[in-house]
Amino acid sequence: MIRLCRLENETLSSVATKDINISEVSEHTVEIITNSGEGAQKCAQIFGQTCAKMGNGVWTVEIIPAEIEPPHHTVTSTSGNIIRFGTDKVTNWGDQSKLAVAFNDQVLLSRHRLDSLHDNCIILQESLWENHEDEDIRRMYREAMEEMSSKNYRFVNVPIEEEALKIVSNPSHGKNMFALGLLAEIYQRDVSIIERQIAHIFRLKSQKVIDSNIELVKAGAAWARENLDFQFHIPSVPAEEERIVMNGNQACGLGSIAAGMELCSMYPITPATSVSHELAEVIENYGGIVHQAEDEIAAAGVAIGASYAGKVALTVTSGPGMALKTEFIALAIMVEVPLVVLDVQRGGPSTGLPTKVEQSDLLSSIYGQPGDAPRVVIAPRSIEECFHSMVTARRIAETFRTVVIVLTDANLATGVQQFTRPELDVRWQQGPIDQSPVPEGLRPYEWDPKTGMSRRIIPGMPGGAHTVTGLAHDELSLVSYHPSGNELGMRMRSRKLAVFQSTLMPPEVHGDEEGDLLVVGWGSTHGAIEEAVDRARAEGRKVSSCQLTFLSPLEPGIKDIFSKFDKVMTVEINYSDTVGDPYITEETRRYGQLAWLLRAHTLIDIDCWTSCPGQPLRPKDIYQNIIAKLEPSQDIEIGEAS
Amino acid sequence: MIRLCRLENETLSSVATKDINISEVSEHTVEIITNSGEGAQKCAQIFGQTCAKMGNGVWTVEIIPAEIEPPHHTVTSTSGNIIRFGTDKVTNWGDQSKLAVAFNDQVLLSRHRLDSLHDNCIILQESLWENHEDEDIRRMYREAMEEMSSKNYRFVNVPIEEEALKIVSNPSHGKNMFALGLLAEIYQRDVSIIERQIAHIFRLKSQKVIDSNIELVKAGAAWARENLDFQFHIPSVPAEEERIVMNGNQACGLGSIAAGMELCSMYPITPATSVSHELAEVIENYGGIVHQAEDEIAAAGVAIGASYAGKVALTVTSGPGMALKTEFIALAIMVEVPLVVLDVQRGGPSTGLPTKVEQSDLLSSIYGQPGDAPRVVIAPRSIEECFHSMVTARRIAETFRTVVIVLTDANLATGVQQFTRPELDVRWQQGPIDQSPVPEGLRPYEWDPKTGMSRRIIPGMPGGAHTVTGLAHDELSLVSYHPSGNELGMRMRSRKLAVFQSTLMPPEVHGDEEGDLLVVGWGSTHGAIEEAVDRARAEGRKVSSCQLTFLSPLEPGIKDIFSKFDKVMTVEINYSDTVGDPYITEETRRYGQLAWLLRAHTLIDIDCWTSCPGQPLRPKDIYQNIIAKLEPSQDIEIGEAS
Amino acid sequence: MSSLAISLLDLEADAGVCFEAEDYQKRPGKWCAGCGDFGALNAVKRLLAKEQLQPDRMVFVSGIGCSSRFPHYVNAYGFHGIHGRALPLASGIKLARPELDVFVVTGDGDCVSIGAGHWIHAIRYNMNMVVMLLDNNIYGLTKNQTSPTTPLGYSSMTSPHGAQLPALDPLQATLGVSNASFVAQTADWVPAHLYATLEAAYDHPGFSFIRILQRCPKFTPDIFEQAVKDPARTELLVHEDGVDPPGLEKLYEARREHDPKDIDEARSLARRDDMIRLGVFFRDDSLPVYEEVRAVPKVTPQEKINRLNKEFERYAV
Amino acid sequence: MSSLAISLLDLEADAGVCFEAEDYQKRPGKWCAGCGDFGALNAVKRLLAKEQLQPDRMVFVSGIGCSSRFPHYVNAYGFHGIHGRALPLASGIKLARPELDVFVVTGDGDCVSIGAGHWIHAIRYNMNMVVMLLDNNIYGLTKNQTSPTTPLGYSSMTSPHGAQLPALDPLQATLGVSNASFVAQTADWVPAHLYATLEAAYDHPGFSFIRILQRCPKFTPDIFEQAVKDPARTELLVHEDGVDPPGLEKLYEARREHDPKDIDEARSLARRDDMIRLGVFFRDDSLPVYEEVRAVPKVTPQEKINRLNKEFERYAV
Ligand SMILES: Cc1ncc(C[n+]2csc(CCOP(=O)(O)OP(=O)(O)O)c2C)c(N)n1
Ligand SMILES: Cc1ncc(C[n+]2csc(CCOP(=O)(O)OP(=O)(O)O)c2C)c(N)n1
Ligand code: SF4
Ligand code: SF4
Ligand SMILES: [Mg+2]
Ligand SMILES: [Mg+2]
């Protein structure tokens, strides 16, 4: 019998039941690692859903291979999922996995190399390879095990394929459910919930498929019951309010329906495309359509045309697509046509890391346009905020007749989390098309000299015929080359940002309002940063954090908030130089993108810790860097400590 | 007889010769204002050239109408030229014109409305309209005169058309030369030089054309001699070294030939196109070509392809074209293919003010790319520097295997100035194609870990075959999704900027190294800023200025330089909010683009005075704002004082 | 204003108003004297008057170029967009508001060069709009650069030694795109033909692509000179399903019966450069129209809320 | 290294080396099992071996997509560019170095959708390169979205109810572009035909456009299934100026003599969708090739300096 007392930071209360040692822990992280095409997503989806339904906080993350269907049993073929779940709300993917189910040694190895597995990780691995008839496979297995022996992993051999074959003929369509059964038993999941989930997911397939999947789950559970000597118990607190669970792209998709979006104009690009997949499936039930344009330029143009004509329009893309929309975004700002642009950020520059997370489009979103083109940029901080950001974005875009760029990223896009079921408001659905006659004398840009705001005239409105233009123009929308005409337009378009800023509240500080260090983040890193800060605070450190949502214009009061801390440091998933590296001085250093913005904004010497590993930041790495910033003398090795 | 003693700031020494009062002044600004199509450009070009050849400093600026050929005799049809010339070097267009030749009241009115004419401007105007048979024309004339009566202009009626018709049948092809004759007499220009210029300019036409043009000039001069009672004498100092005279686009064009550019890939866009017109005419004599692509994206792609394959390539554009090149620029940075991008900035955002000057592409040039894409951005400060910047840009691009963006603007593009004839260096011509075998084991990105620099391998080199990619890649150019691989590449690409910065000198300070105010500018405003600073310094003000050329990375030592001044303020031709306007506070204010950059860089509270009138800044307006910044209490009305 | 009042007002606005061609001119066109764009504007004004279109129910969309200034001069809603992108903007407008009449005005640079990708795809989308390509074989607004339709050897500021490639023929290219439904050619100097072509285009339910040969006296004064002077160089394609305006028979004697249903023949005629051919090359009113195949039933706000609430069930915890 | 040593080394490198097809495979292709891209790679390898091309004297250029990974697997210089922009990159390379062999590999999304404008213009430029459009009628890399060539009604993640428009036919579109000089169609599952088509394309002096029907077992397993199973649905276009690889007569009984010089017939055949037609639709070796018409004599650095110094005279003060 093993005692799992090596799992630190967790409340252990081992209760021996027969031979089985049940450890009670407040959270756990599991990963399912397979070849691409072996169904890890489905397994994880059901497992995550089940945990959520049982009242646990959950966060799941996809592990996506670079190829569509890479050769099996290689390190590059790794496909899978990480599920972190706990008693309380889970806001990020956490640090490392404590338990893994691996379908072969190579995909496991890839996870090991990425430092994804906790030092004491329990690994349930397919038993097929160790004594495989093919010597090459045996050798690969041995070498992998040798490489992984640097860690304290506990390996448990499981005849996954063998057992699955007892129920289905093609193990690739069964091993995942068997694995689900193993996990169900280890974590005492409610099998009736699992069965319902299976029935739902395979609702378009035959009853036979559903039955055999359920059988597989039961077989997995039975195997675990008979052969494993450990279980984990993660207490759950059933939610009080109704909740829903989804990933960030689904949240953006449904959020845009909630926001009354009638047209989503897009061109496929990872990791944004699944927003439109989501929408393509359902939006027509809401009187809207997804238009796949010939390229991102056209996608922007169609959205602008539609919005000009009175539809609520959205365009969705990622970095390279944003680059292509650059010119059109400036046009929308210039003619003051409302437009929501959703940028699901990925690793850059150029094609970069298409499936991976990065927060590197901040400065280009704000400053990308030649000429002065003020626009609003917001970054939801959680999957729940992904949903609501679409409603907010539409509202801002229409109120201020401007472009709103919403920055999410691959972490939010594919992470799955539950959140309070949104209360929908029928007013969000109101279309802007107003076909009443234009009041006599109303000019197309009847700028309120104080606010720069003006009333929108939409084609079809009697008496409103006028021509909009991307050329400098006056209030009548007539081309104007006169200096004062040009300057007036520029002032009015800029003024709107200041007016909008005046409607915002200062950002909240997580932790005390003053202290030694303030960690500042934006967007998707919210959960991980707060978790790291909490860890440091639990040790008595005077650290707080502040997560920004409004990046252009910036929320009010930032300088005041910052000035109450000795040090301010941003944490971002993007690139910055490290002072002390060759040629890198305080003067030549290139900063993280938010840090740069805030330095100009506050004139405070804001430091940054950034990283662009192509994966979400881990609380422990952030924690390390908090400590390093607080105690620079200690010279802690970043990212290495466990 | 008039005494021109109202002309301030000038050494007056009126010498009465017969009836003519010759005023000796150190400089003068003249404008020729015509309908588009009436040949103002040719007149001004010859006049400017003649002044230059006589040893005067000269700066000429085009006045361009918005339409190709707008209806004549309207305020929008104004076409013309401003020529500022003086005893010393002239570095900018100055403040206002002191003498004007106007072909009709409407085009004159448009200049009046733009505040382009000095309060005491002498206006030689066509006498045809006052008593024209058409009552409409007479009325327009009267109303125009009425409107202009707010100023102290001195009008002199000249029968321009009538006199021209004595020599040519179509006055549109003659009035300009008659006007040139007027100016030749007023400023005692050497007629033999003018004759040579005419012969050169019309070298492709018949001798008859040349002769009648010369005759017209002589007629103009004779008329002036007989009818005018004033002349101006601007002493000149013949240059010691050889000089050439051209506009900034010509300088960029010839500069790129001097730099060994073999391919200019472009798509037409004002005000950049004339660079390629210049090149298209001559580059084939140098073994190169101008390729007009189907759009700006393709233009960038062709340049990158050619550079990858070993040609020295350039792409030329303006704001909207820059927007379209965004994605390709990131690719070049990612694959480390050298590329020079010339952006002749125009008024934005969007189509904006296509023919007018603005300096609004700075932040988008530096931060325009989604993802982290470090590149070099430089801004020549004069027409001479336009020439040399092309040589510098190529050198940086190739040495650091990166993208160099050269920012000029419509002011430099169409401004004409003389400068020291460049000494050409045959080494600038060396092509990078090196077809020697690749040393065994040399990797495609053999990054020096200290500098990020690596040796370029060009297709055709034996033993070098490899595939470059915009995906994250390692030193072998293999796609790499590993965190450390991605971060290494990013670090290396960023490091190069720091290494490049280490080769730069701190910017020079014009004036004392410490004082009350430092005015900071970039690019084309150099001459105007220094002139304004000199004016303030002449009054004993402790003002200096500093004009930046390297914007990314910034030149070293900037913070040290700034810290020696009480106040620092940028002067830029772009948009910034004005504190005190509704909703605009220190916190919400959007700054000029350089100001913003320098605030983040130095953490110094840098102010800015910016303006985007669609025309170059005037020394007097800059001067006003210097005074306002020094003595904020005085509450001087900006831009209004004479 | 109560909604009742509004509808009364609407009625009033409609009642008895009769638009003359000149009522559709918002302000004078600012093109060079003799520019062919004036001819196009005049023909359009006639069409609008003939159809009595409400200024407020039409949108004129353009890119950037001399020709693209068109919307500024028409009494209608207008969107003067960015270079090369008139068609995506127009598609968005039509997709959003199929009930509005959409006209697109574009130039040979705008449409055939920088806008080529959108052009090809807009032909295929086959949205119901009239597209006028004002083809002067040159870049006018930027002052004389070669365009894809510039004749081989014709010189410009960017090709001082003459265009290096044979011109791209917009008709053949359009006819090569699947789902192309209306392709015609006319010329600014044959106003009756231009007008009749516009009428047919407006009548066609789909993407009506008209290449208008357009004189640019400023930069390509000689390109169409011969054609204008010598009508014998022009052949009219006539057919009962095509255009055949009365009064041209005398001037344009060369006439050819061409059935616009015959795509092979249309392509073949477009390819031959022995004569300038004006007329409807191809027309098929039965092809799928994008805004129609994408039409979805309207849903009330409340119903949307209900459905979305139901959707949430799928995601319920 | 002295230049003498270099040239010796060059000689050595050339001497006696004989490349087998496998020598051109740099690393194993990472496509799904059964992916048609493997077939294209194999045919290319055969061609390179047949022509004994030097790996260092060729460049493979691509955009982004499954198909666009091609350059990574070939033993040659490669430029894996950005989505839709392979052709401008390739044009730049060819313009710079006409002596290098340039191959372009692109997908139906890459070429026909986002790259459409460049595609149309590259056809017209007619630069000497081989362009392989791997047309699987779908977006593979981004996992199953509709492409312009997706058949009407075929569903994908972005068109769950089926593609709403008839597919755009790349052959007809290409044939519609002036100066098109070589247009062929082949299929990944007829290796002999694919190879022979590549040979003809390589032999053609100009822009050789090959549409390769390509199976994507992952996302469009059924689209070409019938065609693969039932050769009677395929007609081979044969001609002495076309391709007619030996050994196919038995399997592919439907054969049609088609003279690739006949553009009208080529367009007409491309239009008809009664059968799948493989072969050379059009070929004209006499059309102007851009890098040739743009070729300029080399000038020595010193001579350039002299000329520029002379040029300065024009600007001298
Ligand atoms: C992105 C972009 N590129 C280039 C330009 C410059 N530009 C304006 S109009 C034009 C071409 C005009 O030619 P055409 O479309 O044939 O119209 P025309 O003036 O001949 O009517 C160009 C290149 C621009 N405004 N925007
Ligand atoms: C600018 C840009 N837009 C979109 C994408 C995403 N993207 C990558 S490949 C691809 C389409 C692939 O389809 P296709 O060209 O047919 O190639 P296949 O994968 O089918 O071989 C898309 C949309 C991108 N990388 N860059
Ligand atoms: S330049 Fe040509 S196209 Fe433009 S307005 Fe003048 S005549 Fe018309
Ligand atoms: S997804 Fe399709 S095209 Fe892509 S590699 Fe797989 S089979 Fe080939
Ligand atoms: Mg044109
Ligand atoms: Mg494809």
Side-chain angles (χ1 to χ4, degrees), chain A residues 377-596:
Chain A
V377 178
I378 65 180
R381 297 170 300 181
S382 64
I383 289 164
E384 180 171 16
E385 285 190 6
C386 283
F387 184 96
H388 294 285
S389 68
M390 303 313 294
V391 179
T392 312
R394 174 188 166 184
R395 177 122 172 259
I396 302 167
E398 287 181 359
T399 309
F400 295 95
R401 296 183 69 176
T402 193
V403 171
V404 180
I405 297 176
V406 180
L407 295 176
T408 69
D409 59 34
N411 180 24
L412 290 171
T414 59
V416 176
Q417 189 191 24
Q418 72 271 64
F419 57 89
T420 308
R421 179 179 169 138
E423 291 266 3
L424 303 173
D425 188 327
V426 72
R427 282 170 306 180
W428 299 346
Q429 294 298 333
Q430 227 58 60
I433 297 190
D434 160 8
Q435 294 292 277
S436 57
V438 174
E440 178 99 30
L442 180 75
R443 290 169 297 178
Y445 299 100
E446 185 109 1
W447 293 307
D448 175 329
K450 233 177 111 182
T451 63
M453 289 163 74
S454 57
R455 196 178 137 183
R456 205 171 149 197
I457 299 176
I458 291 169
M461 287 170 74
H466 68 281
T467 293
V468 298
T469 175
L471 284 158
H473 51 262
D474 62 15
E475 290 168 286
L476 288 165
S477 194
L478 298 180
V479 177
S480 153
Y481 289 117
H482 198 277
S484 60
N486 188 44
E487 285 178 338
L488 176 64
M490 292 193 124
R491 207 176 316 122
M492 294 294 94
R493 291 187 295 271
S494 184
R495 184 73 48 82
K496 294 188 290 183
L497 284 204
V499 176
F500 171 53
Q501 199 252 20
S502 75
T503 69
L504 297 176
M505 302 282 292
E508 276 173 24
V509 174
H510 174 79
D512 295 321
E513 304 248 318
E514 51 179 60
D516 296 335
L517 173 65
L518 181 71
V519 178
V520 186
W522 62 284
S524 75
T525 50
H526 195 197
I529 289 176
E530 292 199 346
E531 187 168 330
V533 165
D534 287 344
R535 219 175 279 180
R537 289 179 64 79
E539 295 167 8
R541 317 255 183 192
K542 295 198 172 132
V543 186
S544 300
S545 67
C546 178
Q547 193 77 4
L548 302 179
T549 310
F550 295 89
L551 286 323
S552 166
L554 283 159
E555 288 148 89
I558 287 179
K559 191 168 180 172
D560 283 353
I561 293 171
F562 289 12
S563 62
K564 304 220 174 70
F565 291 84
D566 269 7
K567 297 174 179 171
V568 182
M569 168 175 90
T570 68
V571 167
E572 310 176 55
I573 315 178
N574 55 34
Y575 180 77
S576 65
D577 293 327
T578 306
V579 176
D581 277 359
Y583 293 92
I584 308 301
T585 63
E586 292 282 348
E587 188 183 28
T588 59
R589 182 183 192 192
R590 297 176 62 245
Y591 282 81
Q593 302 198 0
L594 178 63
W596 187 251

Side-chain angles (χ1 to χ4, degrees), chain C residues 265-285:
Chain C
E265 180 68 8
R267 289 171 172 181
S268 176
L269 286 170
R271 188 176 55 72
R272 281 143 72 180
D273 54 5
D274 50 335
M275 296 192 108
I276 289 182
R277 293 197 167 76
L278 306 183
V280 180
F281 282 73
F282 182 68
R283 174 170 179 166
D284 182 346
D285 288 10

Side-chain angles (χ1 to χ4, degrees), chain D residues 22-212:
Chain D
E22 284 319 306
D23 294 333
Y24 291 102
Q25 177 107 34
K26 197 185 279 158
R27 58 184 69 87
K30 285 193 183 175
W31 293 294
C32 304
C35 177
D37 292 346
F38 284 109
L41 181 57
N42 287 336
V44 164
K45 279 155 47 184
R46 267 184 73 191
L47 173 75
L48 304 186
K50 183 207 156 208
E51 303 284 347
Q52 284 293 303
L53 299 185
Q54 289 285 336
D56 298 317
R57 313 285 301 167
M58 321 182 263
V59 189
F60 278 76
V61 187
S62 67
I64 300 286
C66 293
S67 36
S68 288
R69 294 180 171 190
F70 205 100
H72 287 283
Y73 311 138
V74 185
N75 186 16
Y77 279 93
F79 200 139
H80 182 205
I82 50 179
H83 190 43
R85 319 295 173 193
L87 288 168
L89 287 170
S91 308
I93 294 166
K94 191 73 191 178
L95 208 44
R97 305 281 299 281
E99 74 277 17
L100 299 178
D101 281 316
V102 174
F103 294 84
V104 175
V105 188
T106 179
D108 43 326
D110 202 55
C111 177
V112 178
S113 194
I114 190 170
H118 308 308
W119 170 45
I120 299 301
H121 284 275
I123 298 165
R124 175 171 176 254
Y125 290 133
N126 191 31
M127 303 183 74
N128 188 6
M129 52 179 76
V130 175
V131 180
M132 289 170 269
L133 166 59
L134 284 161
D135 191 350
N136 56 2
N137 295 4
I138 201 77
Y139 285 12
L141 190 68
T142 44
K143 302 191 178 173
N144 199 17
Q145 295 86 23
T146 302
S147 104
T149 63
T150 303
L152 180 69
Y154 198 89
S155 68
S156 81
M157 298 298 277
T158 43
S159 307
H161 314 305
Q164 298 101 355
L165 291 173
L168 196 150
D169 175 20
L171 295 179
Q172 288 177 76
T174 305
L175 289 165
V177 179
S178 316
N179 216 33
S181 70
F182 183 103
V183 184
Q185 177 158 278
T186 183
D188 83 67
W189 60 88
V190 198
H193 194 271
L194 172 49
Y195 171 73
T197 310
L198 274 173
E199 261 193 321
Y202 183 75
D203 175 60
H204 168 69
F207 190 84
S208 308
F209 179 78
I210 313 175
R211 182 194 193 197
I212 304 175

